[in-house]
Amino acid sequence: MGEVSILEDNKRNPVKASDRVLGKTPYYGANGIQDYVKGYTHTGEHVLVAEDGANNISNYPIYYISEPSWINNHAHVITSNQNLISNLFLAYSLKNVNYLKYLVGSGRYKLNAKILKLIPVSFPSINEQKWIGNVLKKLDDLISLQQRKLDLLKQLKKGLLQKMFADKDTKQPVLRFDGFSGDWEQRKLGTYIIEYNKKTTKNNEYPVLTSSRKGIFFQKDYYDGHQVASKDNVGYNIVPYGYFTYRHMSDDNLFKFNINTLCKFGIVSTLYPVFTLNTSADKYFIYYYLNYGKEMQKFALIQKQGGSRTYMYLSKLRKLRFIVPLLIEQEKISTILLAVDNLLSLQQSKIDKLTLLKKFLLQQMFI
């Protein structure tokens, strides 16, 4: 690469966060924009390649910039020979490199300038480079647009969760549907919980499930085709479709409650209690309350009794006191939140497909 580009690392200037002057110029480090400041170190088109501190070795941080920017000393600054190769094409070409064989050190890897110059780069005619670069740039812009939409949906969900639930102090939510008024009432969660304690009687009687912070999955899907549960899963808890399960211990006071939406029956370790609700409560209202409600977070903190781990046995969970509206209002709240979650899933799916398309094009368009 040293034959088709030059390094402009000598212009870089690291500035401590406390010494930066707030402005509109992007301040770049190894992993992209860290801040916005006044002034700049570089103008024009450049390619940034992480020198050290890369947060992802398999998807190495490479950035194409075309506006005044401030670059610190954790990113190499490359300018291509425009008669041979365009900066935009070079940026996408460098995304295809396996950097692991070029990095030195252990733990905090480093890509030395001398080694960077030795990385081989292949390129077609300038016209073909421009075409490839423009196609990939448009795809990147589309991915960024879809990501912004996803971020807005996440903000919407966060706002709804904050305003559609009451607590024991307010007793009424900030945001409420027409036709509903009056205080929510305090109840024990145990009023609604129905424990389910059936267990498997033979090995692999039903699919093994993984209940995680990200949701509920078939274990083989979650672990890329592998089943990490015990080879003998006789005695595992059975989780019928539509029932709750959760890991009853936590190292950070956070508990994730999941509902089996995958299969008629699944199984989980005995560390994961299983329960359903009676008809006096809306299943998904309770789901959102347990996962996002302030009272649940406070209750979890109270359960910690020495040591670093918090235990939330079902017997303890039953004692949670929370503020709850009438069933019909519960259903309206959960319907809105489920609709937003469905939009989030669809939006994430769009981004995943576009990212997969970009990966395919990068593999096919470069030698």
Side-chain angles (χ1 to χ4, degrees):
M1 193 169 66
E3 297 176 353
V4 298
S5 64
I6 60 171
L7 279 178
E8 294 192 40
D9 288 358
N10 60 312
K11 298 179 182 179
R12 301 179 302 178
N13 184 17
V15 182
K16 292 191 299 183
S18 58
D19 294 336
R20 296 172 199 161
V21 180
L22 186 64
K24 296 182 179 180
T25 303
Y27 178 91
Y28 281 89
N31 301 297
I33 297 174
Q34 294 183 345
D35 207 345
Y36 287 89
V37 299
K38 280 187 177 180
Y40 55 86
T41 58
H42 297 75
T43 60
E45 287 189 340
H46 302 284
V47 180
L48 307 183
V49 181
E51 179 175 353
D52 58 3
N55 59 8
N56 191 335
I57 303 302
S58 60
N59 184 21
Y60 206 75
I62 309 290
Y63 299 94
Y64 164 79
I65 61 172
S66 60
E67 59 183 356
S69 303
W70 194 301
I71 319 298
N72 73 16
N73 61 335
H74 296 294
H76 291 298
V77 184
I78 302 169
T79 305
S80 70
N81 181 337
Q82 293 291 292
N83 293 322
L84 298 174
I85 186 169
S86 75
N87 283 293
L88 185 58
F89 180 87
L90 179 60
Y92 285 115
S93 179
L94 290 175
K95 288 180 181 289
N96 267 347
V97 174
N98 177 10
Y99 286 90
L100 193 57
K101 59 184 178 182
Y102 297 109
L103 300 174
V104 297
S106 59
R108 187 178 176 89
Y109 293 107
K110 184 171 184 177
L111 179 61
N112 290 327
K114 288 183 179 180
I115 296 176
L116 177 62
K117 291 178 180 180
L118 298 176
I119 294 176
V121 179
S122 300
F123 50 91
S125 68
I126 288 293
N127 286 338
E128 188 173 353
Q129 289 179 43
K130 288 181 178 178
W131 183 86
I132 292 173
N134 287 335
V135 168
L136 292 171
K137 182 66 166 58
K138 288 179 180 178
L139 186 54
D140 266 341
D141 291 343
L142 183 56
I143 292 172
S144 296
L145 175 62
Q146 299 303 325
Q147 183 63 51
R148 287 195 293 273
K149 290 181 179 180
L150 180 66
D151 292 341
L152 288 172
L153 283 170
K154 287 180 178 179
Q155 290 177 24
L156 173 62
K157 179 180 176 180
K158 183 179 179 180
L160 290 174
L161 287 167
Q162 290 173 342
K163 295 183 178 181
M164 295 186 78
F165 287 87
D167 57 38
K168 65 180 181 181
D169 296 321
T170 63
K171 295 186 179 179
Q172 291 190 30
V174 175
L175 185 63
R176 206 163 192 184
F177 293 98
D178 289 341
F180 294 100
S181 60
D183 291 349
W184 289 14
E185 297 184 355
Q186 189 176 73
R187 292 282 187 272
K188 271 189 178 181
L189 185 60
T191 305
Y192 307 109
I193 283 180
I194 301 173
E195 184 177 5
Y196 188 84
N197 52 22
K198 290 189 177 180
K199 302 182 183 298
T200 56
T201 56
K202 58 184 179 180
N203 200 38
N204 295 324
E205 188 172 354
Y206 300 113
V208 180
L209 304 179
T210 291
S211 180
S212 74
R213 296 278 176 93
K214 296 179 180 179
I216 194 162
F217 303 89
F218 289 115
Q219 192 170 94
K220 286 186 176 180
D221 292 342
Y222 192 76
Y223 291 103
D224 295 325
H226 300 287
Q227 183 169 302
V228 299
S230 171
K231 290 183 180 180
D232 181 6
N233 49 51
V234 174
Y236 268 40
N237 290 340
I238 297 174
V239 191
Y241 184 88
Y243 281 43
F244 287 80
T245 189
Y246 68 100
R247 188 170 185 260
H248 79 246
M249 62 183 73
S250 172
D251 295 324
D252 58 5
N253 293 323
L254 294 177
F255 293 87
K256 173 64 177 180
F257 295 82
N258 288 306
I259 297 174
N260 175 16
T261 57
L262 299 175
C263 51
K264 187 175 181 180
F265 295 101
I267 60 174
V268 291
S269 158
T270 53
L271 297 176
Y272 294 76
V274 180
F275 67 91
T276 187
L277 305 172
N278 60 36
T279 56
S280 299
D282 178 76
K283 175 169 57 180
Y284 280 98
F285 175 86
I286 300 299
Y287 165 84
Y288 286 113
Y289 202 102
L290 289 175
N291 285 315
Y292 303 103
K294 292 180 181 178
E295 298 304 318
M296 177 60 196
Q297 294 170 11
K298 294 176 183 177
F299 185 72
L301 190 60
I302 294 171
Q303 306 312 307
K304 190 170 185 177
Q305 298 176 347
S308 59
R309 181 164 286 181
T310 303
Y311 292 88
M312 185 69 69
Y313 299 107
L314 194 59
S315 58
K316 286 187 177 182
L317 186 65
R318 289 179 180 274
K319 297 176 182 178
L320 168 65
R321 291 183 178 274
F322 69 120
I323 307 296
V324 62
L326 296 174
L327 179 59
I328 189 171
E329 189 172 1
Q330 294 178 38
E331 291 169 344
K332 285 188 173 291
I333 291 170
S334 67
T335 298
I336 290 293
L337 292 172
L338 281 170
V340 174
D341 268 345
N342 287 335
L343 288 174
L344 281 165
S345 296
L346 289 172
Q347 192 63 28
Q348 185 62 61
S349 178
K350 286 182 183 179
I351 293 172
D352 291 343
K353 289 176 182 177
L354 288 170
T355 303
L356 192 62
L357 174 59
K358 178 185 172 182
K359 182 179 179 180
F360 172 78
L361 291 176
L362 284 170
Q363 291 172 343
Q364 299 301 314
M365 288 181 165
F366 294 89
I367 298 174

